[in-house]
Amino acid sequence: MKAHIVPSFFDAYSKLSSQEKSLTKKTLNNFISVPELKGLRFHQVNYFHSLSVNMDLRIITFLKEDSYYIVYVDHHNEAYNWARKRKPIINENESFFELVEYDNNKKVDNKIKTELSKTNDGYANIVAELNKRVDDDEKLEYISTFSPHIQEILLNSLNTDQINSLSNSQIFTFTTDNDLEIALKYPLDKWRIFLHPAQKAIALQNTNINVLVSGFAGTGKTVVLIHRLKYIISLNSFDQIIVLLPKPEELKHLVSEMLNKIIDEIPSNVKIMVPSPQKDFKYFIKNINHSLKCHILIDEFQSFGLHYFRHFDFLIKNKNIYWTILFDPAQKYYSVQFEKFINDNFVPIYLNYAYRNTKQILDYSKKYKDKYLQIMPDIPSAFYPLEPITTINGLPIKLLSTSYDKLDELINKEVNFLLSKYEDDEIVLINNYPYDSVLKPRRLIFNYEKWKIKTVQYSKIGGLEYKAGIILGGDRINVDNRKDLANAYTYISITRFRDYLIIINIFSNSI
């Protein structure tokens, strides 16, 4: 009997506590070693079977002929509710496994959502069908019948004759304990450095041209940065390579950490800097050898203020300096002079596919952006990419409101809930209430030590990402005089998270 793990299981498994993961892994090991299912507690749930891990935890599986598909894991009620809302569909050669979600209050044929997974054989069969189409229009018509991420794979196969699949869309087939161990290693840094083919094309752009990469939160700008940096280093054609990052300093550590995972050693001619507008930056400008060939890479470009642009204007006149600039126009909260700085020498490139966030978080952040963030006149509209889309499925946003005297109690409750599903380094609390304009006038003092996870101020979260977390102050717009800043920082905070987001407000119960 074959056993397959479907991506929806990986997403659910990653949210379990360490102890629950260990118990789940042990149960799955028993499962693959006892194909006749003796000694294992199975119960029918709609189209699926529930496999008991313990008195509370359930693995949801689906049997088709000689194959079992491991599709979900959660606590009893949540797992059963998940199974009752879905119907599995598998094609004849088992190359595609589809989970279709239905609204039980409507007709059965009213499909809400589809989660589609593929095996390698499935890709090969589909590409073979694609290659039977001779005319380009016929090929595009065939490709258009698939979901967006499969369309992308098929389009790539036309150009490269290779099948490039997204890492989070594969069905994993396992037969041994070791296979399972490999499959269940789902670390935070794995998806941080994953490079999609569309991003790779940007990373490998000609290094002797200036490129401007724009994309909304979660589209992989920092991932593109580190892979482009790796590519520039590999060419060995630049005397100086400089990476400029805004504060917080933690972003520098994250970039260095990500870079160390993809190259053996950072060369001495590579400088990664978080320059202050006065001392560090003037020193940096002064010590560039203008006779040497240099490539400057800038991440979170929208976070650099006017005091930096005087130096940028000076440097861009140097023909020995080439640029790779990455920014998110929606995250701009300082007045910058893009039109003055960016000129015809820059090639605009857009990232318009979101990898970080669940669909619920992405939809929520889009609604917030559309409601509160306007296209600023000093950023040309041409720099705005299409709205990102996502195929990642996950948990929704939780909106909560409380009084100040109940705040600690509520935060501790929600923190404990998140710790039951995630590791502590995968979670953060963002305090979105500024001290001077919001907290101090109301004599509010927060006891950060009571909150058992990392806590950061809103101004130090740009460029960082976590699996789950809490935003304290999604209603900041209602209490802050600088509403343009409040809107930008709230949007940035919302888009930091991959899977789960809890927003706790004190002053209102909505954004």
Side-chain angles (χ1 to χ4, degrees), residues 163-211:
I163 303 169
N164 295 314
S165 60
L166 300 183
S167 67
N168 66 349
S169 62
Q170 288 280 63
I171 292 177
F172 185 88
T173 303
F174 64 94
T175 56
T176 68
D177 292 0
N178 187 52
D179 288 341
L180 180 63
E181 191 72 30
I182 294 170
L184 297 185
K185 286 183 178 178
Y186 204 67
L188 185 66
D189 57 9
K190 182 176 180 180
W191 55 267
R192 275 180 173 167
I193 62 172
F194 168 67
L195 189 70
H196 181 267
Q199 295 170 320
K200 185 176 182 181
I202 298 173
L204 301 184
Q205 281 280 332
N206 185 343
T207 59
N208 292 321
I209 61 173
N210 300 327
V211 297

Side-chain angles (χ1 to χ4, degrees), residues 72-90:
Y72 195 68
V73 60
D74 208 334
H75 299 277
H76 180 280
N77 291 344
E78 290 82 358
Y80 275 42
N81 287 338
W82 184 94
R84 290 188 184 109
K85 292 179 181 179
R86 285 167 174 81
K87 177 182 178 181
I89 300 173
I90 303 178

Side-chain angles (χ1 to χ4, degrees), residues 364-410:
Y364 186 83
S365 64
K366 181 182 182 301
K367 288 177 183 177
Y368 187 92
K369 178 180 67 64
D370 290 346
K371 184 175 181 179
Y372 293 116
L373 296 174
Q374 303 298 321
I375 295 178
M376 304 299 180
D378 55 356
I379 301 181
S381 60
F383 295 156
Y384 282 74
L386 299 172
E387 283 296 334
I389 58 172
T390 182
T391 56
I392 302 173
N393 296 289
L395 298 169
I397 290 178
K398 186 189 292 186
L399 294 171
L400 302 171
S401 61
T402 186
S403 59
Y404 175 66
D405 60 333
K406 298 286 186 181
L407 182 63
D408 273 349
E409 179 183 344
L410 179 61

Side-chain angles (χ1 to χ4, degrees), residues 213-216 221 302 327-333 338 369 373-376 379-380 383-385 491:
V213 182
S214 61
F216 294 129
K221 295 183 295 296
Q302 74 283 344
F327 82 109
D328 178 356
Q331 290 188 36
K332 186 186 75 64
Y333 43 77
F338 279 85
K369 178 180 67 64
L373 296 174
Q374 303 298 321
I375 295 178
M376 304 299 180
I379 301 181
F383 295 156
Y384 282 74
Y491 169 76

Side-chain angles (χ1 to χ4, degrees), residues 18 33 36 40 51 66 137 152 168 240 317 353 401 424 488:
S18 298
S33 62
E36 66 274 15
L40 298 176
L51 171 61
D66 66 340
D137 290 339
E152 205 164 347
N168 66 349
Q240 304 169 102
K317 297 172 184 176
Y353 193 99
S401 61
D424 55 6

Side-chain angles (χ1 to χ4, degrees), residues 430-433 471-477 490 503-506:
I430 304 172
N431 176 20
N432 222 21
Y433 291 130
I471 295 175
L472 177 59
D475 58 349
R476 173 183 166 179
I477 182 176
T490 302
I503 299 178
I504 299 177
N505 296 331
I506 297 177

Side-chain angles (χ1 to χ4, degrees), residues 14 26 30 100 118 125 137 145 148 171 182 202 205 254 257 281 298 379 409 414 452:
S14 68
K26 183 178 179 180
N30 291 335
V100 180
K118 294 79 56 183
N125 294 335
D137 290 339
T145 62
I171 292 177
I182 294 170
I202 298 173
Q205 281 280 332
L254 175 63
E257 191 178 283
F281 208 64
I298 306 178
I379 301 181
E409 179 183 344
E414 297 304 324
K452 304 169 187 174

Side-chain angles (χ1 to χ4, degrees), residues 2 7 11 15 83 105 126 144 245 248 289 305 470:
K2 295 179 182 178
D11 290 338
K15 298 173 178 64
N105 297 320
I126 295 300
S144 69
L245 306 167
N289 189 328
I470 297 171

